[in-house]
Amino acid sequence: MKRRDILKSLSILPFAGGIAGTIVPSESAIAAPPGVTRDLFKELGLRTFINAAGNYTSMTASLMPPEVMDAINQSSKEFVMLEEVQDRVGEKIAALCHAEAAFVTAGCWSAIVLGMAGVLTGKDPKKVAALPKLEGTGMKSEVVIQKSHINGYDHALTNTGVTIISIETVEEAEAAINDKTAMLWFLNREAPAGKIQHQQWIDLAKKHQLPTMIDMAADVPPVENLWRYNDMGFDLVCISGGKAVCGPQSTGILMGKKELIAAARLSAPPGGGNIGRGMKVNKAEIIAMYVALDSYIKRDHKKEWKIWEDRVAVINNAIKNIAGVTTEIIIPPVANHNPSLLISWDPQKVKLTRDGMGEKLRKGNPSIETIAWEIENSIRITVFMLKPGQEKIVATRIKEELANASA
């Protein structure tokens, strides 16, 4: 059962009483008695877990706060024109993020595809209809990317038909740029690994009168990143909606220069005959994304960071004195930038493998998901997806398993 199927089931609940008699429910889907909340996860046999790993797509990203759920419920009750929703929400998001224009997409991947499409086609409807076939259309066909930034997400660009040109230095980039070059693309998560940093990348593109796009999918916090790259001069900025911002998981944002955003929308729903027709975002998700973004910006981020540090301390204090166990607080420099705890152990003193630890936590009660660290005999814990008090449960369970495996 996919997540969208669960949400589909949830979306029909308010109307169940009003349509009784018109639908014959299956035995497993009989409505709960009045006043009793229906447990759909139990009904569907789905495992829920304490998320001490992070806002990964496979783990259904983040949880939406009450104000976002209220926006979904409220906006589901009226009809509106989808383009008008994108217009008004786009204006609000653009103002919040210092962009000329913006719109809500079906995730960050969709933002990359549609942004690339807009760069290629401009506002020419014939070119929009031709994608991803570029030959003979007059459209450019190459995108320059630093080698260290090529790790899979560039496939979103090639969905439009372009070819990736890999470079490492400014000199190589200068040599690679030609009359086929459509854009320079930057993966923010890999910025520390690249030889060309943000401003130099922008300056290079401006020198050759080419647009730039930055993928900063999971790169808040800090909150300032929401407008940092627009202020810096990137022409297009792509972000996930369901990560730390806590909007609907299936949303993203494409923002940037007005003309490029307008061109990108020609390849997006509700229009047909284009490569983005299947990248639908409904009105409730679009509006909820705006509410989530507005709410996220207004948070007390210093207070939130202190809460995360305190949660890490609870787990660290519970296990750091176990013989053979070492701990280290890690803050990733870019993506998922928040305090996390690396827990390692001496296999001679703690007879437990990394995967074994993960499995015991996963199969325990309650189930807990952690990060299988790249170093053997280590796991990493993040706390920013935990509900209040769950850090104590995580601390107790990890301590139990380490103690049980101690020689």
Side-chain angles (χ1 to χ4, degrees):
M1 179 68 73
K2 295 181 179 179
R3 180 177 181 268
R4 66 179 182 184
D5 297 323
I6 299 172
L7 294 179
K8 182 179 179 182
S9 299
L10 286 167
S11 69
I12 67 171
L13 291 181
F15 304 95
I19 58 175
T22 62
I23 293 178
V24 180
S26 66
E27 185 177 345
S28 64
I30 295 175
V36 177
T37 302
R38 186 172 167 187
D39 188 339
L40 286 167
F41 292 112
K42 183 177 180 180
E43 183 177 310
L44 296 168
L46 292 168
R47 173 180 67 94
T48 61
F49 56 86
I50 292 175
N51 187 352
N55 48 25
Y56 297 101
T57 296
S58 60
M59 296 183 183
T60 58
S62 56
L63 300 179
M64 292 179 283
E67 63 270 21
V68 177
M69 291 305 303
D70 287 345
I72 290 174
N73 291 331
Q74 179 184 340
S75 56
S76 70
K77 297 175 182 178
E78 298 290 347
F79 291 102
V80 286
M81 299 304 292
L82 193 61
E83 290 280 32
E84 291 180 15
V85 179
Q86 286 283 28
D87 288 343
R88 300 290 86 78
V89 167
E91 290 169 2
K92 294 286 189 180
I93 290 176
L96 288 171
C97 297
H98 305 184
E100 291 182 11
F103 72 105
V104 178
T105 61
C108 187
W109 182 278
S110 171
I112 297 170
V113 174
L114 296 175
M116 184 74 254
V119 168
L120 294 171
T121 67
K123 295 182 180 179
D124 187 332
K126 292 184 179 179
K127 291 180 179 179
V128 171
L131 291 181
K133 298 177 182 178
L134 301 179
E135 189 174 353
T137 64
M139 287 186 273
K140 297 182 178 182
S141 60
E142 296 179 355
V143 177
V144 175
I145 306 177
Q146 294 182 69
K147 184 178 180 180
S148 59
H149 292 212
I150 298 176
N151 63 4
Y153 297 105
D154 51 290
H155 281 294
L157 300 167
T158 58
N159 279 6
T160 65
V162 299
T163 299
I164 303 302
I165 306 300
S166 171
I167 59 92
E168 292 191 77
T169 65
V170 171
E171 292 73 23
E172 288 179 3
E174 291 276 10
I177 293 171
N178 58 68
D179 58 5
K180 294 181 181 179
T181 306
M183 187 177 75
L184 274 63
W185 188 76
F186 195 97
L187 180 56
N188 195 55
R189 190 184 79 176
E190 302 301 329
K195 295 182 179 179
I196 310 173
Q197 292 304 302
H198 301 80
Q199 193 59 57
Q200 196 173 15
W201 193 250
I202 293 170
D203 293 342
L204 178 65
K206 286 183 177 179
K207 175 182 177 181
H208 293 277
Q209 298 183 316
L210 292 168
T212 50
M213 178 192 289
I214 185 168
D215 171 0
M216 51 160 288
D219 301 349
V220 290
V223 64
E224 292 82 8
N225 277 2
L226 288 169
W227 49 84
R228 184 189 309 276
Y229 304 110
N230 288 313
D231 290 347
M232 191 177 288
F234 278 95
D235 297 289
L236 290 170
V237 177
C238 308
I239 184 172
S240 292
K243 300 279 194 281
V245 177
C246 296
Q249 184 186 4
S250 54
T251 60
I253 297 172
L254 177 65
M255 50 188 168
K257 297 296 187 286
K258 185 176 181 179
E259 287 301 305
L260 289 177
I261 296 298
R265 283 184 61 178
L266 295 178
S267 286
N274 55 50
I275 63 170
R277 181 65 176 88
M279 301 177 188
K280 295 180 181 179
V281 191
N282 69 48
K283 66 179 184 294
E285 292 175 311
I286 295 170
I287 293 170
M289 182 67 256
Y290 159 60
V291 171
L293 185 71
D294 183 55
S295 177
Y296 178 76
I297 291 172
K298 292 175 180 176
R299 286 185 202 173
D300 185 335
H301 295 278
K302 289 183 179 179
K303 179 179 178 180
E304 186 173 54
W305 191 276
K306 180 62 167 58
I307 290 171
W308 295 341
E309 289 180 327
D310 290 346
R311 288 176 179 174
V312 168
V314 167
I315 301 171
N316 189 34
N317 290 335
I319 63 175
K320 65 181 182 180
N321 293 324
I322 297 175
V325 173
T326 58
T327 60
E328 179 185 357
I329 296 174
I330 295 176
I331 302 176
V334 185
N336 297 303
H337 178 76
N338 59 83
S340 63
L341 184 66
L342 175 62
I343 304 168
S344 305
W345 56 89
D346 182 347
Q348 300 301 315
K349 295 182 179 180
V350 180
K351 305 296 184 179
L352 189 63
T353 65
R354 173 192 61 197
D355 294 342
M357 170 66 93
E359 191 70 5
K360 286 181 180 294
L361 294 173
R362 183 175 298 114
K363 291 185 176 181
N365 186 18
S367 177
I368 299 171
E369 289 289 345
T370 59
I371 301 170
W373 195 237
E374 52 261 30
I375 305 170
E376 188 58 49
N377 304 314
S378 298
I379 60 170
R380 187 160 69 90
I381 303 293
T382 68
V383 298
F384 70 132
M385 291 294 109
L386 296 180
K387 298 176 184 179
Q390 287 184 334
E391 68 277 9
K392 297 177 183 178
I393 300 173
V394 172
T396 298
R397 288 288 296 115
I398 293 176
K399 182 178 180 180
E400 287 175 351
E401 295 302 340
L402 290 171
N404 290 340
S406 294

